Structure formats: C-alpha cells, structure tokens
Amino acid sequence: MSLAFASLSPIPPLRSTTHNFNSRCTHRTFALNYASKTEEPETSRPDKRTIPVEKKVEKPGEIELEVLYDDGFGSLSVNDYFRAAKDVVRDDGGPPRWFSPVECSKPVNNAPLLLFLPGYDGVGLGLILHHKSLGKVFEIRCLHIPVKDRTSFEGLIHIVEKCIKSEHSVRPNRPIFLLGDSFGGCLALAVAARNPKVDLVLVLVNPATSFDKSPLQPLFPLLENLPSNLHVTVPYMLSFVMGDPIKMAMAGIKEDRPSPQTIEKLSNALTSMLPLLSELAEIIPRETLLWKLKLLKSAAAYTNSRLHAVKAPVLVLTSGKDNLLPSADEGDRLFSTLKNCKVRHFKDNGHTLLLEDGVNLLTVIKGAGMYRRSRRRDVIMDHLPPTKSEYNKTFIQGERWFSLATSPVYFSTLPSGEIVRGLEGVPKKGPVLLVSYHMLWGLDLSMLYKQFLDEIKVTLFGMAHPVIFSPGAESSRRQFTHYDSLYLFGGIPVSPVNMYRLLQRGSFVLLFPGGAREALHRKGEEYKLFWPKQPEFVRMAARFGATIVPYGVVGEDDLTQMVLDYDDQKKIPFVRDWVEDMNKDFQNIRSNLDGEVADQEICLPFFLPKVPGRFYYLFGKPIETKRKEVLLQDRENAMAMYSQIKLEVEGLISYLKKRREEDPYRSIAQRALFRATWGPSAQIPTFEL
C-alpha cells in the first residue's frame, strides 16, 4: 500500500525543516514533524568473546520502560483513522513525504527507526492504532502519498532508498525497520533487494506480491468502465471485501467489559463507522483507484523478480480471511523463498489486519524475536518489559480459564522460618535466583509469571531449552502461540553466559537444573529431581551475591494422566522413527554430563486431562550468597550448599503433597461453590498454616 516517482520536486529529507507540513495537518490525531534532532553517539558493541559489564547507568533524559507500563494500545479505533484521513485528504497536495505521528512519545534510548510504507490508500495512517505502542520503542516515520500523486513504483523506491541511506550513514549500527502494509510490502521487499548492505528488518502485512492471484482480478476491468456517478459505491464494497467490519469496530473496545456493555459498545461503533466509509471515495477517487491498480500490478512484478536478492530478516503477517489477496498462500511461498523469513498467521482476520481488533503489532514483533537495537539481536539487552495490554491479553483473557481451573495457592517463607500466604518472603530486589523442579511441560509456569508480575512487579527471566527458540520450530502457518509469549515474559535460551549476564544486571532468574529430563519425565517420575552433580549455579550466584530461593510446586498429578511416555514411544516403530527424526537437528546441551540428566532426547509425552485439582507453590527460606566468596574458591563448600538446596526443594514438594490433603478446596467442585457464594474475585481459602 504506497506509490511515488522522481518527476516531482525533490522530497524533503527525513530531518529537514524546509517543508512546513505541520501547519497543514494540525488536528488532534495527526501531524507531521520535520524537526531536526541531535544525533546520539553510537555505543560500541562489546567483543563477543568476553562477557561485558552491563551495570545500568541512567543518563539524563534516558527513557526507561517499567514492567507493565501502559503502551496505549486500544485507545484509538478505526473511526479515528477515517477522521484523520479525511482531514489529510482535504489539505492534500505536493509530492510524497515523511511525517511523524504526534501520538508517538519519546522512545527508549537507542530506539531503532521504523519506516511505515502504506497500502493502497497511501495516506500513511494505516498504523494509527499502533502509533502509541510502537512509538515508545521505535522512532517512527510514515510515508504519505497525496491522492493526486502519480509517482511510479521506481520513484517510490528512490524516495525510501534516499531516506534509509541517509539514516544508515548517520547511524550505521542502528537497524532500520521497514513496515510494509499490502502494497507497502512490495516496496519494502524491493528496497531490501536493492540495498543488501544496509541493516534492514522487514515486517510485511499481507504483502501484495500475490496481486496477480487476487480473487478480484476478474472485477478490476469492470471498475475501469464503471460510470463516474457509481464510483461512490466502490469504497463500500471494498471496505467489506478487505476487512472484517466486526473486528474493525471492536478495535478500541476493551474486552474485559461485561457482555451487555461490549455488545452496546460494538453496536455504537458499527453505527458510527458505516457513515465514515463514504470518506473512502474522497481518499481513493476513481482516477486514483485505477492508477493504483496499475501500480499494484507493476509493483508485484518488479518485486517478485528480485526476491532472490533479499538478504534481510523478514517477518510476514498473513490473514486467513483476506478476500482481496491470497495472503495465507503467499505466506507459504515467501516462507520457502526468502532466506531468513518468519510467518505469523491470523486465521480469523481480513486484509486490513492493522486496523482490526486483537492484533497488537508490537506484541507480534516482540514475540517473533524480531525487535533489536543493534546489528545483532541481544536476547537480554533487547528485551522489552511486558506491557499492561500484553498482561491483560495473556493472563486476564488467555489464561483466565486455566487460572480458574487450577486456582493456584502461593506460600513463601520469611527469614524467621514462618510460612505465609503470598510472596512476602521472596526478596523484592535482585539479583535473585529461583531454583526448582520442572513440572511436566512447564504447566505451572504461566501462573508463576503472573504472580510475580502481580506482587513484585518484576520480569522473571526463565532459562528455557534452546529448541524452543530454534528456526526449526517455525512454519508458514504458525500462529501467535505460547512459545511467542515466552519471549514477551522473559524466556531466555539457557546458557552459562546468559545466566551470568542476567545475574550481573540484578535480574530475577528462574532455573530448572533438571531441565528437559524433568519436564518430559516418564510415568511414575512426578516430582522426582534429575539434577546434575556440578554445583555451578551456586558458584555463579555467589559471584554476584545473588539470593537463591528454592521452591516447590505440586499439582501436575491432579491435572494430567500420563498415557504414553518416552519409553512407551520408543517401543512403537513408527513413533520411534518420528522421535529420532525430531531429535536429529536438536542439540543436546548436556551431552558433556553424566547420569540421567544427560539423557535429554526431546519427545512429547501424551497425557489425558483429569478433573482439575489445584496448584500449590511454596518458596523456601532465601539463601544469601553475598560475602560468601568461599563458595567461589572452595568447591566442597559450593557442593554442600548445592546439596542443601536440592534437599530443600525435595522437602518443599513433600510438604505440599502432604498438606494439600487437608485442603477443603482442593476439589474444583468445592471451589466453584465457593465462587458462586462469595463472587469470582474472592480469594479461595486453603489448608491452615
């Protein structure tokens, strides 16, 4: 979605002040900003062979994002797009140019540049629902193409190239994100193919590279012969073809409202949106529509002939209900054609994905592991804290029923040894290392992350098996899944270097010494620890004076019944072959160890759900390592503490298994009755302490 050419007057550069467009668009949702900015010096990248010192030093004016900060997503609706576009069209004229949305606040330090390349409308406001959220972590510029502009596709390419080359020359170590929507996807790919040496990251939303396969191709010749007085009907038809009106109307409506209120809000939004569709006739008059159909055809042909030259990493977002383009099939093609491509598929959305409800673009970029602020993605330095909207989407909406089914109970131990309900006994300041048994499939983790966000307001960085983040887990129809949520809420590939750096930065780190052997255990091995013999995490914690908190968790046997474990699967010929094929490309990260912990062949145990019981967490007494340098020097002392921690975890698990028998609300039926009596928000009692 975009267009342009060089026959017009020169386009003002991104940081120029020569083109006063602010005075032309000054309403509440839209303005252009060419104000020059002082460049900040690039920070040199540390030598990868050493572990850098990463203690944060806050600089004057530096923006720090807090955990659960308000990203502003959901504060605008599609009606704001129509109103803003109407005002822009009225004041239109001149060549294509860049603008900065006024909704964007000052971004975080060293924020990457994001250039939005619009779709067929060309106004550059297709990102309006995401301006606030993206503006906190990106420096945003949007391309505006006037309605009467007739710049060719090559001309648009030159405009974007001029901008990225200028930016790259000033900050060569800062990545430039090209966000292309529909037609803009063609433009982004063409620019990337012609500029392989510029550090680009491409995010393509239903790219129009499949325009020649559009199911509407037979109708396009009819549009050329349609009488001018009937053109006003075309925008109405296109609006229903391109997007889901319900999802577009739902954008900006909070889903945590009671159903009657939600229905009323939706009805009002639809009623107010439908009259605004007539504005599309002004945004895309007949002559402009016919021009852009020709432009789309040439753009798709130009781009498809150069896909082989695209070296930049690409994230493609496809819609399953795109009636304008076969976007899902195009995602399949691009995934297999491009060298470094990820796809996220939204099966229930239409072509106008960025204007529809339920799609937070920042969340998708973060979850796909695409956000970075330097030449290489650093999983720790480039991690952004989870936002309030991500928390609500994941835990209040997504995990709501799981939370109700398991009704988790949390206990902690005070320094005096007293056990209390809640996380009062857990340190509130890092570095903290949480150590425990790895429950089957990590079923307990989402509730654990939620509680730490609720009570302590910290991100829990979980050391996860690298297979979760491997390229082999990608596919051309992959939807936003639990694994993407791991990136959002602190999942980090387990490695000594990553753990070292996190503790060095004073983070809260979650470690399961038993790893995949515990998470994918066999029948009868519930709550059995498979820990290595080396006490390395104790020595690393002592190096930074971290507080070690052992904890126990039970409840998996009240939730699942194992049917086929690893041993069973190895006895079934075709299943055994499947397991062996699955593990060919997976690295055994503990092959250098002895014992069962080294047996980490990945398999997926089959289990059946039970009538849910309850999850119980108990955090033991914190173990201080500060000023205990002897742990670094004396391996026997470190081994003694390691054994103590292991015994503590086993003791905590045994305590919970015994005490849960005394819980009158262990049964889901009793908990449902309690909620029916006292309300859904009432805290459900448990056994007496």
Side-chain angles (χ1 to χ4, degrees):
M1 302 173 154
S2 261
L3 19 159
F5 187 30
S7 61
L8 299 173
S9 58
I11 309 304
L14 185 61
R15 300 183 186 281
S16 171
T17 58
T18 59
H19 197 290
N20 183 13
F21 196 62
N22 280 346
S23 62
R24 302 171 66 89
C25 300
T26 55
H27 55 82
R28 66 183 180 86
T29 61
F30 178 85
L32 307 191
N33 180 10
Y34 285 105
S36 60
K37 298 180 181 178
T38 303
E39 298 293 344
E40 297 175 9
E42 287 288 332
T43 55
S44 58
R45 186 171 182 81
D47 190 337
K48 302 271 294 180
R49 295 168 296 181
T50 63
I51 299 175
V53 176
E54 294 174 353
K55 290 293 183 181
K56 284 189 177 180
V57 179
E58 214 170 296
K59 301 175 184 178
E62 183 174 326
I63 304 297
E64 290 290 335
L65 297 175
E66 298 180 351
V67 173
L68 301 186
Y69 72 93
D70 185 0
D71 61 0
F73 180 73
S75 59
L76 296 178
S77 70
V78 71
N79 289 354
D80 294 292
Y81 164 79
F82 284 115
R83 295 189 187 101
K86 179 180 178 181
D87 288 345
V88 172
V89 171
R90 283 178 183 166
D91 296 324
D92 221 8
R97 61 269 199 188
W98 301 98
F99 70 88
S100 297
V102 294
E103 298 93 350
C104 299
S105 58
K106 183 178 179 181
V108 295
N109 194 41
N110 292 326
L113 176 66
L114 185 147
L115 300 179
F116 176 60
L117 311 178
Y120 80 101
D121 62 333
V123 295
L125 289 170
L127 203 60
I128 192 168
L129 302 188
H130 309 270
H131 284 167
K132 290 184 179 179
S133 56
L134 292 175
K136 293 183 183 295
V137 298
F138 287 102
E139 182 182 330
I140 298 180
R141 299 288 182 270
C142 303
L143 183 62
H144 172 69
I145 304 167
V147 169
K148 297 182 180 180
D149 181 74
R150 296 296 181 263
T151 304
S152 72
F153 186 64
E154 284 89 352
L156 280 174
I157 292 175
H158 293 318
I159 291 171
V160 179
E161 281 184 336
K162 182 178 180 181
C163 176
I164 66 168
K165 289 178 180 178
S166 173
E167 289 290 332
H168 182 67
S169 66
V170 175
R171 294 184 180 179
N173 293 323
R174 180 172 76 155
I176 300 173
F177 283 68
L178 296 183
L179 173 53
D181 183 14
S182 188
F183 172 78
C186 293
L187 185 55
L189 285 167
V191 170
R194 290 162 53 105
N195 297 272
K197 294 184 179 180
V198 179
D199 185 12
L200 299 174
V201 180
L202 273 55
V203 181
L204 313 177
V205 183
N206 293 321
T209 45
S210 61
F211 180 72
D212 61 330
K213 301 182 183 69
S214 171
L216 300 183
Q217 280 288 346
L219 298 179
F220 294 148
L222 298 178
L223 295 177
E224 297 180 9
N225 300 308
L226 189 70
S228 299
N229 60 336
L230 295 180
H231 176 73
V232 70
T233 64
V234 174
Y236 284 97
M237 292 186 293
L238 285 178
S239 64
F240 286 97
V241 167
M242 295 182 63
D244 183 336
I246 301 296
K247 284 190 173 293
M248 293 174 73
M250 279 293 294
I253 298 176
K254 296 187 181 299
E255 297 182 16
D256 56 354
R257 297 176 181 270
S259 295
Q261 291 185 25
T262 300
I263 293 172
E264 181 183 357
K265 287 280 185 182
L266 175 60
S267 176
N268 293 337
L270 277 171
T271 304
S272 62
M273 183 181 74
L274 291 176
L276 293 172
L277 294 178
S278 62
E279 306 297 340
L280 286 174
E282 294 184 35
I283 298 172
I284 316 171
R286 183 174 183 274
E287 296 76 12
T288 299
L289 178 61
L290 298 179
W291 161 256
K292 291 188 176 181
L293 290 176
K294 295 178 182 178
L295 193 64
L296 278 167
K297 184 177 180 180
S298 65
Y302 183 100
T303 304
N304 284 320
S305 66
R306 291 163 174 79
L307 287 179
H308 64 279
V310 177
K311 302 292 191 297
V314 180
L315 173 62
V316 182
L317 311 186
T318 62
S319 297
K321 294 184 178 180
D322 187 344
N323 297 318
L324 183 65
L325 298 171
S327 293
D329 293 338
E330 185 65 2
D332 297 338
R333 185 177 78 94
L334 293 176
F335 181 76
S336 61
T337 303
L338 299 174
K339 297 179 176 64
N340 186 3
C341 181
K342 295 181 179 181
V343 177
R344 291 298 178 268
H345 183 61
F346 299 85
K347 61 184 181 66
D348 297 321
N349 290 84
H351 184 73
T352 53
L353 186 65
L354 297 179
L355 292 175
E356 295 184 12
D357 174 57
V359 182
N360 186 332
L361 184 57
L362 174 60
T363 299
V364 176
I365 292 172
K366 288 163 59 178
M370 300 295 286
Y371 183 82
R372 58 185 171 91
R373 284 176 270 192
S374 56
R375 283 192 170 274
R376 293 188 177 217
R377 184 171 187 272
D378 187 315
V379 292
I380 295 172
M381 301 296 288
D382 288 328
H383 178 267
L384 297 171
T387 69
K388 188 182 297 184
S389 64
E390 290 165 351
Y391 173 90
N392 291 335
K393 183 77 172 179
T394 303
F395 298 114
I396 306 302
Q397 299 171 28
E399 298 283 349
R400 178 169 176 253
W401 293 110
F402 187 74
S403 177
L404 289 173
T406 57
S407 300
V409 190
Y410 305 90
F411 304 101
S412 60
T413 309
L414 301 178
S416 63
E418 179 187 0
I419 297 176
V420 295
R421 188 164 183 176
L423 303 184
E424 183 183 349
V426 177
K428 304 302 184 290
K429 186 177 180 181
V432 172
L433 178 62
L434 298 157
V435 183
S436 186
Y437 156 80
H438 201 321
M439 186 181 283
L440 178 69
W441 275 33
L443 293 171
D444 59 316
L445 291 180
S446 61
M447 296 297 97
L448 179 67
Y449 277 66
K450 179 180 183 297
Q451 194 67 16
F452 269 77
L453 289 170
D454 286 342
E455 285 201 45
I456 306 182
K457 300 293 189 296
V458 295
T459 298
L460 200 54
F461 289 96
M463 297 284 96
H465 198 290
V467 70
I468 295 174
F469 309 103
S470 69
E474 295 292 334
S475 72
S476 62
R477 298 291 175 106
R478 175 167 168 172
Q479 299 180 46
F480 193 89
T481 65
H482 169 73
Y483 297 110
D484 291 313
S485 295
L486 281 177
Y487 267 130
L488 297 182
F489 294 98
I492 300 291
V494 63
S495 74
V497 171
N498 284 343
M499 184 171 160
Y500 183 104
R501 294 174 64 201
L502 285 167
L503 292 175
Q504 185 185 53
R505 290 168 58 84
S507 303
F508 280 64
V509 181
L510 177 61
L511 178 68
F512 300 108
R517 181 60 183 86
E518 286 177 0
L520 306 173
H521 61 69
R522 279 68 150 166
K523 293 176 182 175
E525 293 180 347
E526 298 87 352
Y527 311 122
K528 183 178 179 181
L529 270 57
F530 294 93
W531 286 20
K533 297 178 181 179
Q534 292 83 350
E536 296 310 314
F537 75 76
V538 172
R539 292 158 64 85
M540 192 176 292
R543 184 181 185 92
F544 299 105
T547 303
I548 301 175
V549 181
Y551 79 92
V553 56
V554 301
E556 112 182 28
D557 52 343
D558 271 355
L559 197 65
T560 63
Q561 176 65 53
M562 185 81 73
V563 177
L564 283 176
D565 64 6
Y566 174 80
D567 295 333
D568 295 328
Q569 293 178 35
K570 294 291 281 187
K571 295 175 184 176
I572 305 173
F574 69 91
V575 178
R576 180 180 61 244
D577 296 340
W578 173 67
V579 172
E580 291 174 355
D581 289 342
M582 184 171 59
N583 280 273
K584 281 181 180 178
D585 299 325
F586 292 164
Q587 177 186 4
N588 186 341
I589 59 176
R590 287 183 160 176
S591 57
N592 60 324
L593 301 179
D594 298 324
E596 288 197 75
V597 73
D599 183 14
Q600 288 203 336
E601 192 167 37
I602 303 297
C603 77
L604 304 177
F606 292 95
F607 58 82
L608 295 175
K610 288 183 177 181
V611 176
R614 200 172 189 183
F615 280 167
Y616 302 84
Y617 301 77
L618 174 56
F619 295 87
K621 188 175 179 180
I623 300 172
E624 298 287 347
T625 65
K626 201 169 185 179
R627 291 184 291 276
K628 292 185 179 179
E629 290 79 6
V630 67
L631 295 173
L632 292 171
Q633 302 165 1
D634 189 340
R635 193 174 185 82
E636 289 187 6
N637 276 284
M639 193 68 207
M641 180 176 284
Y642 180 80
S643 300
Q644 173 195 346
I645 294 169
K646 184 178 179 182
L647 287 172
E648 180 77 4
V649 172
E650 291 173 332
L652 295 170
I653 291 174
S654 298
Y655 174 86
L656 290 174
K657 288 173 66 178
K658 180 181 178 181
R659 294 302 307 275
R660 70 177 175 176
E661 302 293 337
E662 306 169 20
D663 185 359
Y665 295 98
R666 183 179 176 187
S667 164
I668 191 173
Q670 293 298 322
R671 298 198 299 274
L673 183 61
F674 181 90
R675 285 196 177 97
T677 305
W678 299 98
S681 60
Q683 186 183 67
I684 300 175
T686 184
F687 55 80
E688 293 185 5
L689 295 172

